[in-house]
Structure formats: structure tokens, C-alpha cells
Amino acid sequence: MLVLLIAYLGGVLTILSPCILPVLPFVFARADRPFRSHGLPMLLGMALAFAAVATLAAVGGGWIVTLNEYGRQAAIAVLALFGVSLLFPSVADRMSRPLVALGIRMSEPRGDGGAAAASVFSPLLLGVGTGLLWAPCAGPILGLILTGAALNGASVGTSLLLLAYAAGACTSLAAALLFGGRLFSIMKRSLHTGEWVRRAAGAAVLAGVGAIALGLDTGLLARLSLGTTSALEQALVDKIKPGKPHAEPVALREAPGLMRVSDNRTAPPPARELKVEGRFPSLAGATEWINSVPLAPEALRGKVVLVDFWTYSCINCLRTLPYLRAWAEKYKDAGLVVIGVHSPEFAFEKRPANVRKAVKELGIGFPVALDNDFAVWRGFDNQAWPAFYFIDAEGRIRHHQFGENRYDKAEQVIQQLLAEAGQTRIAAGLVAPLGQGTQAAPGAEPPLSGETYLGHERAHGFASPGGIARDRATVYRPAASALRTNQWSLAGDWTVEAERAVLNSANGRIAYRFQARDLHLVLGPAANGRPVRFRVLVDGKPPLADHGADTDAQGHGVIDAQKLYQLVRQAEGRRERLFEIEFLDAGAQAYAFTFG
């Protein structure tokens, strides 16, 4: 009962948050109608729709998120129509389409003989539409409820908590609506007309629709809300989830030199000195979440968290994934939560559909936050891809490491933080996953060729005569003499843009002299999505046994998505090789070479 009460009070506090602003016009637009027959059904529909969608999103995975996105778009269209009918009643009267008629009924419901006794259905439908759009700020209390559902599974209790939260928010909105109705009545009596108030309400509704359509409710306003209600909500969170006393591991309480050999508990790893590097920064800057509802540091208190900064076209990031997946699975029951923060390098990596597809193809099951604005990146003061941040059960950053390798040290840090959190059944040993394709471990010898960008903004080592012609179609010729190590050239009709080179006609080529075991190239198909065929040569011949995961022995392959392609995979990379790729179709997009 106490938990339900606190969830309800957390909802009441939502009205203090800036992110509630886009919802208010839909509520106040009904201020001129009787509260019992219009305001109350609207708020009821709003609470039920929000609780239902939030419950499904907490446990339903990506499909419900996608389904709700269509619902949001439909609700935006209907509510925009509602605003237009308020703002321009003369225009609305001339509209005849069924959807428009629905908008007019929502704005001017009529009973028999033109009386104002309207059906409850219209305000209820308006409330459902508003509930589909309503994305309250993920403050500590809502974050705690949703995170608990995502991590521990669905339950009737979760749905009741979400409904209590929505009921609290609707209570404060109801008070505002009652006050607004009285104010409207006073204005109407004193001014003898409510037409200009009606038009103002229509303009406010359209402004709210615009704010939601642009994502301000889940982006800018959500971030502004952090400083307004978090302090009050955090005090309530402490009532729900009081801090646990530190539990010293049993093995550390035993007499020195003794170990219970018959006990199922495993000895903790050798303790490292892990200093406190800072507090767990906010995750509210994430623009979208995959495999999870939005998570918040407050709601993750009591868990050990590993935050991984990555981007899906980064070869170094891809090669860490087998370990991240293995750790997430091995230690999930001990209290580890792995969160991938996807901070894009190229423009195509900002598209949620591309990231969702990559996450599915890469077999990532842990939560992924889309950090398109680099807000989370800046919060951690991060420096590179990939980067691991290890956060203890008290919400403190205790360790970080940049780049690949040192996986044994990373796992020992995980084990130590879990032991500090009081976990006594920590799986022993270290994982040793074997990645395949682009996720395979790098060669024993470090590559002597480094990342090379093909866009003019960061290009270097370009050897075609005349240099790069920026942002205009140009016919390039191969280098006049043999390429030196780490030089590259274009041949054919290309447009070199800031971050990529785009092939304007078929049979364009790229050559690169490299020294490394593996060669990868970030590529994309034609702008209209049409696949592009290509063929790879190594030292003028098909790669045969040295072909990569995305080519066959004769070097043939197809670009069908914007991603990193493994084109050469040798047994060893001790000698220089001349790589050539010919695109048999126009439209190929080439971004960057990476090696391993």
C-alpha cells in the first residue's frame, strides 16, 4: 500500500515538470465543458492508455515500441485536427472527411436537438489519444517502476504502480482543469464571448502537437525536468528503496588462510584498489532506447552497471560484443546490468531503424540507449569508442577503460563490484567467447595501417592526380605511380563529400596499399536503397582463402545496408598487399577503411 501511495504522489508531482507542458493544451481545451461528462472521461482515458502502453513497453520488447510509434503518429494527426477545428471553426464546418468529422465531434460534441449534453465517448477517445502521446519525464519514481519491470519481468503489481502513477498525474491535471473551467466561465461572462479563448486553445493544442511531433516532450523538456522534480521524487524513492547496509563477503569474514572447500560459494577475485571516479551521470539525454524502457541511475541503485560506449560501424566496438554478451548472461542473476550507449560517428548511424537492425543482427539482447546528441557521452566526459565504465551498487563510477583487450581485468572488476554489493554466489573463472566475422578477435600482430576516412573532412593519404575536388562530381584517375603504404586512390566518376565518397556511375574503383591481417570498409548502398554489387582483388587476383566475411573466394559481394563490411581476412598480415574494389553499379557510398 505504501508503494502505491508513493507512486501516486510521484504522479502528482509530474505537473511540476516542464515535460508535461505539451499535454496541458489538450486538457485545458476541455475547460469550457462540464467536468463530469467531459473532463473526467478524458482524464480516465488518458490514465488507462498510458498505464497500458507503459506496461507493454516495459516487457514487450521492440515490437510494442514500434506499434506505439504508429499510435503516436495517428494520435498526433487526430489531435492536430482537433486543434484546427478549435482555431478555425468556419473551415472545420466545411470539412467532410470521416477523420475530420471525428475531430469536429471531439471539439463540438452535440446531443439531441443541438443541446450540449455530449456523449462520453468523444472526451474518452480524446483522453486515449493524449495518453498515447504522454511521455512523462523519467524521474526517479517512474524510472524505478519501469526499470523494475524491465529487469524483473511483468506483474500485476507493476501495472498497478503505473496506474497509480498515471492516476496521480491525472489528479493534479483534474485540479488544474477544474480551476481552468471556473476561469473560463468568469471570462465568458465578463467578455460575453468565448470565441477568442476557443481560438487561443486551438493554437495551444497545435503548439503542443508540434512540440510532441518534434520530440521536445521526450528530449529537451525531459532534460529540463531533471532539476525540478528529482529532489522531491528522490526523497520518495528512498522510502520505496532504502539503502542497504554494506554486506561484507563471507570469505572476507573467515579467519585468514582458511577456505570452506565443501561450500558452494566461490572465493572472490583478488581485490583491486578501485577508487571513486565520480557519480553515475544522467541517462536522460538518450533519444531512444532499444531492448528496454528508459533506464535511470536512481532506478539502477543496488545493481552493478557496465556502460559501454559504442557505434555499430566501429570494428573495435564490434569485437568487444562477444564479451559484453557473455558477461551480461553470466552475471545477470548476480545483479549485473550491461547498457550499451550508441554514440554515432556517421550520419547514417543516427537513424534509429539502422541501429535497431544492427542490434538485432549482432545478437545484442541488453539495453541500448541511442545517444544521437552525445548528451550521455558528455555526461561521462568520454573520450573514445569503445569505452567501458564500471558503476557499483551505490551509483559510483569505480573504474573505466578505453579500447579493446584487457577483458580479464574488466571481468575481475565486475566480480569485485558484485562481491562488494554482497553477492556471494558469483560464477568463477573468466569467459572466453569466440567471435565470428567482424566480431572475431584481432590478429596477434598490430596492424601497420590505421583508420582512413574517404570524406574530405578527415581524408589523408589520397594519391589520385589533382587531389580531392570537394562536394562536386569529378572523374578521378588512378595514381600515376605505384601506391605507397597507406595511400589510396579513386578511379571513375565520384563526388567526395564531407564524410563519404559517392559513386556517380558504374565501374568506379578504390585502391589501397595496406599492411594488416584484416581490411574492413564502411559502405552503404545507393541513396534509394538499391543494392550495389562489387568485386575485390588482392594484388590483382581474387582473394581466395583470404576473403572476408562479406565476400566470397572470387571477391564478389553486395552492399545492401549501411554498415562495416569485412572484405579481407588473412591468416597473417606481415606483408604489404594492394587492395582494389570495383563497384559494378552506381550509387555506392564509401566512408572509411579500418584494419585489424
Side-chain angles (χ1 to χ4, degrees), residues 7 55 107 171 180 275 305 329 361 387 526:
T55 300
S107 62
T171 298
K275 298 180 180 179
V305 181
E329 179 63 27
E361 292 179 348

Side-chain angles (χ1 to χ4, degrees), residues 7-29:
Y8 174 81
L9 293 176
V12 172
L13 292 174
T14 304
I15 199 169
L16 301 177
S17 303
C19 66
I20 201 69
L21 291 177
V23 175
L24 292 180
F26 310 133
V27 177
F28 284 114

Side-chain angles (χ1 to χ4, degrees), residues 7 30 54 85 147 156 214 221 233 295 303 325 338 341 442 549 591:
R30 311 302 299 177
S85 66
T147 302
V156 174
L214 293 174
L221 292 175
E233 287 198 49
L295 302 178
K303 302 282 187 179
R325 289 195 300 264
V338 177
V341 177
Y591 291 83

Side-chain angles (χ1 to χ4, degrees), residues 1 7 164 196 285 337 372 435 464 566:
M1 181 60 70
W196 71 274
V337 176
N372 284 354
S464 287
Q566 186 184 80

Side-chain angles (χ1 to χ4, degrees), residues 487-543:
Q487 283 189 329
W488 61 284
S489 65
L490 295 174
D493 188 355
W494 293 84
T495 299
V496 180
E497 301 174 354
E499 69 172 20
R500 65 182 180 179
V502 181
L503 180 62
N504 300 316
S505 58
N507 305 118
R509 299 189 304 279
I510 305 175
Y512 193 111
R513 184 168 291 278
F514 75 103
Q515 186 173 351
R517 188 193 69 177
D518 304 337
L519 180 146
H520 313 91
L521 186 53
V522 179
L523 296 166
N528 60 4
R530 187 178 66 250
V532 174
R533 298 168 298 155
F534 65 83
R535 186 184 181 190
V536 164
L537 299 176
V538 178
D539 293 336
K541 300 176 182 179

Side-chain angles (χ1 to χ4, degrees), residues 263-297:
D263 200 306
N264 289 329
R265 291 173 298 211
T266 59
R272 298 174 178 268
E273 184 180 358
L274 301 177
K275 298 180 180 179
V276 176
E277 301 179 0
R279 302 295 302 179
F280 192 167
S282 172
L283 301 175
T287 54
E288 188 172 323
W289 286 78
I290 300 173
N291 295 335
S292 173
V293 298
L295 302 178

Side-chain angles (χ1 to χ4, degrees), residues 359-373:
V359 165
K360 181 178 180 180
E361 292 179 348
L362 294 170
I364 298 173
F366 50 79
V368 174
L370 274 59
D371 189 28
N372 284 354
D373 300 328

